[in-house]
Amino acid sequence: MTFTTRPTLQGTFGMVSSTHWLASQAAMGILERGGNAFDAAVTAGFVLHVVEPHLNGPGGEVPAIVATAGDPRPKVLCGQGPAPAGATIAHFRSLGMDLIPGAGPLAAAVPGAVDAWLLLLREHGTLTLAEVLEPAIGYAGAGHPLLGRVGDTVAAVRSLFEEHWPTSAALWLRNGRPPAAGEMFANPAYARTLSRLVQAGQAAGADREAQIEAARRAWSTGFVAEAIEAFSRQPFRDSSGRPNAGLVTGDDLAAYSATWEAPATLDWHGYSVAKTGFWGQGPVLLEALATLDALDDPGAYDAGTAAGVHAQAEALKLAFADREAWYGDGTDVPAKALLSREYARERAALIGDRASAELRPGCPDGAQPRLPAHVQPGAGRRTDSTDATTGEPTVQSDGVTRGDTCHVDVVDRWGNMISATPSGGWLQSSPTIPELGFPLGSRLQMFWLEEGLASSLAPGRRPRTTLSPTMVHRDGEPVLACGTPGGDQQDQWQLPFLLRHLVGGQPLQEAIDAPAWHTLSLPGSFYPRDMEPGVLVVEDRLDDDVQATLRAYGHEVRRSDGWSLGRLCAVSRDPATGVLAAGANPRGMQGYACGR
């Protein structure tokens, strides 16, 4: 029997896996009270705002993939807010910018997470808003033992808070210092915000759906929208080094609503793999899977050998090059061609026995790709790892995790399943809005300030998010939900996990525990948008002979700590037996699965 850090949980009642044990157990408590997977996921989502505030918040976003017992077909819940009406290329250029800042009010998209969670609860949940928000209100109001990484994050931005973001200092530097690991920490302002949403719902009467709609209005046109607009007008220092006011207005919030959409899917080895559409990076995983298939080499699926890692890394590089050239919201993405077998064969033909350091987008349907000037050969690079507010801060080049995103998967005894990746609005993204207890996000940094690109900034367009939940079906039934934090690494860490589990037959926890790796040979989605051609970061647990062979292939192998890459979560269901399973990542020592 292969040793794993935790067991792969099995049962028939319900399973939850998330990036924080309190969120997992709060969601499991909802299942025990008779709620379904969607009630549980909403509960986890709001608890994650409280217990992982350096990784996500109510000012951020959440995409999710959902399958219900009544309709098992996958649907995408899009909680990614768009660029506000005032967010134009001309506006940023007038401020002397060629990149959107990685932090500060200017970088904020319209918040999408809360409206998406409430839409999910209204349409597919069974419990009341008060019931699902009770745990989050309790942790925010009475406090909870804070993660050490939250205090570390606050310490990293302490001078910024003290000198430029006083509202954040008031919340996070109480007693003149960052909170200590395990210290009881409360956020009364956010507890009051959630309580006011519940009260707004209850004032609408006894009907559950009417209550949820009233809470959505309180968010988008009521007291929350009013506070966001007033605060956005105030200038604060951002990553440009200058103070600037934000662009999100009450009208922007009023115009936004989360949406249901069809997923991008790929039929693969008897499975159907579902991802978000091409407005996000999710189809990168589908392109990589299709390219590996086109190699017609079973060894390409083995994530434990040098040949397998090499093939997978090269397939991912090609897919990410296509992401840069073709993916974006509101553009004419050649989606069908990008996921076709013919195109996969073209791309597979580019994979040889040497690692490529080039950015090589393809020509689907013969169309010529266009890349941003910033990533063209010879373009100047700016590397700034000292600014802890910039980016999603995921994993540095040496593998050190600075914090990133969250994830939650739930499956229940009826066969409902959800994979969700909440992120953005982390405490270091923007100054705290004191009346609400949270900041706005910084997702606009994923746009380019260059006209005519697939992901050029434009009002009303969604940024090309890195958030990438996954759902897998077999014979029309959902069998697996998974995902991970990690920005540009999300689909890179999911690819070998899926190969190990779906092709190699490894149980969930064994596949999660296996040594991880990712390539940096792609343009980063986060400010300062850098690329490190040819670099492959590997956990040092990867076999030494494998690492040596990868170097022989031409990869610049960069060793990371043995348990440092990835924060995968996963739940599964066997439709034939009804047996449910779950696993969670041990890295970072905070993710947990629970179930029975």
Side-chain angles (χ1 to χ4, degrees):
M1 182 176 68
T2 301
F3 172 82
T4 56
T5 57
R6 301 102 180 263
T8 295
L9 306 184
Q10 289 186 298
T12 57
F13 180 80
M15 291 285 163
V16 181
S17 180
S18 89
T19 49
H20 194 291
W21 65 88
L22 290 179
S24 294
Q25 188 53 54
M28 191 66 202
I30 290 293
L31 294 180
E32 297 286 2
R33 292 169 62 176
N36 66 17
F38 311 118
D39 298 311
V42 174
T43 295
F46 281 95
V47 169
L48 287 169
H49 292 165
V50 180
V51 300
E52 291 191 326
H54 59 316
L55 309 180
N56 82 136
E61 46 273 329
V62 58
I65 305 179
V66 167
T68 69
D71 182 2
R73 294 173 297 179
K75 293 190 298 182
V76 171
L77 172 63
C78 177
Q80 174 58 68
T88 64
I89 291 176
H91 178 74
F92 284 89
R93 292 292 191 184
S94 74
L95 298 174
M97 297 180 179
D98 57 1
L99 289 177
I100 295 173
L106 266 179
V110 179
V114 168
D115 191 72
W117 286 125
L118 296 184
L119 177 63
L120 175 66
L121 181 67
R122 187 197 75 186
E123 298 206 358
H124 295 302
T126 62
L127 302 183
T128 66
L129 183 63
E131 289 173 310
V132 299
L133 291 188
E134 180 183 353
I137 293 172
Y139 287 130
H144 67 285
L146 200 67
L147 289 167
R149 285 176 177 78
V150 179
D152 294 343
T153 301
V154 175
V157 294
R158 179 174 182 168
S159 61
L160 174 70
F161 284 10
E162 290 176 333
E163 297 170 19
H164 301 288
W165 293 5
T167 57
S168 295
L171 175 61
W172 293 106
L173 295 171
R174 298 169 189 167
N175 304 315
R177 60 167 178 79
E183 180 178 331
M184 286 294 288
F185 188 88
N187 185 344
Y190 188 46
R192 288 192 295 271
T193 296
L194 294 181
S195 295
R196 289 184 68 180
L197 292 179
V198 171
Q199 291 162 8
Q202 292 173 337
D207 181 75
R208 191 187 76 91
E209 293 186 9
Q211 289 183 354
I212 296 169
E213 281 304 296
R216 293 178 77 193
R217 290 192 298 273
W219 176 272
S220 62
T221 62
F223 75 97
V224 174
E226 292 169 1
I228 288 175
E229 173 162 357
F231 195 76
S232 289
R233 292 172 177 168
Q234 302 177 40
F236 289 92
R237 183 185 177 94
D238 58 35
S239 303
S240 71
R242 301 185 301 274
N244 288 291
L247 299 171
V248 177
T249 67
D251 287 344
D252 291 318
L253 274 98
Y256 173 74
S257 177
T259 54
W260 293 103
E261 303 177 4
T265 60
L266 178 73
D267 291 333
W268 185 83
H269 284 242
Y271 298 96
S272 177
V273 184
K275 301 292 289 185
T276 64
F278 284 83
W279 52 267
Q281 83 170 20
V284 159
L285 179 64
L286 306 183
E287 280 201 62
L289 287 169
T291 301
L292 290 174
D293 239 13
L295 289 173
D296 196 24
D297 177 9
Y301 302 136
D302 192 338
T305 66
V309 173
H310 171 72
Q312 293 158 37
E314 295 304 297
L316 283 164
K317 290 178 190 178
L318 294 170
F320 275 103
D322 280 342
R323 181 193 72 168
E324 209 56 61
W326 299 110
Y327 292 20
D329 184 33
T331 61
D332 295 325
V333 179
K336 185 176 180 180
L338 286 167
L339 297 180
S340 69
R341 292 182 179 178
E342 295 76 17
Y343 185 70
R345 286 194 290 268
E346 292 178 21
R347 303 299 272 163
L350 297 176
I351 298 177
D353 59 3
R354 295 293 298 170
S356 173
E358 298 178 31
L359 190 64
R360 300 181 289 176
C363 301
D365 286 336
Q368 292 301 306
R370 181 180 171 189
L371 293 171
H374 186 77
V375 305
Q376 302 261 359
R381 301 285 182 225
R382 34 174 113 176
T383 300
D384 183 4
S385 61
T386 63
D387 184 352
T389 68
T390 57
E392 185 179 25
T394 53
V395 177
Q396 297 178 31
S397 59
D398 59 1
V400 175
T401 301
R402 293 165 60 193
D404 41 78
T405 289
C406 306
H407 189 80
V408 58
D409 299 309
V410 189
V411 61
D412 64 27
R413 62 190 185 274
W414 300 289
N416 298 302
M417 185 179 287
I418 180 171
S419 173
T421 309
S423 186
W426 39 77
L427 68 87
Q428 66 274 27
S429 65
S430 197
T432 299
I433 303 170
E435 303 95 321
L436 302 178
F438 62 82
L440 295 179
S442 55
R443 196 63 59 172
L444 286 193
Q445 66 187 289
M446 296 184 168
F447 284 114
W448 292 108
L449 297 178
E450 183 179 343
E451 299 283 1
L453 300 173
S455 54
S456 297
L457 174 66
R461 291 181 72 178
R462 292 170 291 187
R464 192 203 64 205
T465 179
T466 56
L467 306 177
S468 196
T470 300
M471 187 171 288
V472 179
H473 282 58
R474 186 178 64 233
D475 298 329
E477 295 289 333
V479 295
L480 176 70
C482 65
T484 177
D488 295 313
Q489 286 78 45
Q490 289 185 24
D491 290 296
Q492 299 196 60
W493 292 331
Q494 290 184 71
L495 176 64
F497 164 77
L498 289 171
L499 294 174
R500 290 180 178 116
H501 179 60
L502 299 180
V503 178
Q506 293 182 7
L508 296 181
Q509 194 62 48
E510 183 179 345
I512 289 171
D513 284 355
W517 53 265
H518 64 265
T519 177
L520 298 178
S521 195
L522 53 97
S525 294
F526 296 90
Y527 183 94
R529 315 285 317 249
D530 285 330
M531 174 176 172
E532 296 190 67
V535 173
L536 186 70
V537 182
V538 304
E539 289 183 332
D540 61 17
R541 292 184 295 126
L542 189 66
D543 187 84
D544 287 343
D545 290 340
V546 171
Q547 295 183 46
T549 305
L550 288 169
R551 290 188 180 94
Y553 285 143
H555 296 277
E556 181 184 333
V557 176
R558 187 174 297 170
R559 290 164 63 94
S560 178
D561 289 343
W563 295 92
S564 59
L565 305 182
R567 292 176 65 210
L568 275 155
C569 300
V571 300
S572 66
R573 179 177 183 268
D574 183 345
T577 64
V579 171
L580 314 177
N585 178 56
R587 300 163 179 89
M589 297 185 292
Q590 66 193 61
Y592 240 86
C594 54
R596 67 173 180 87

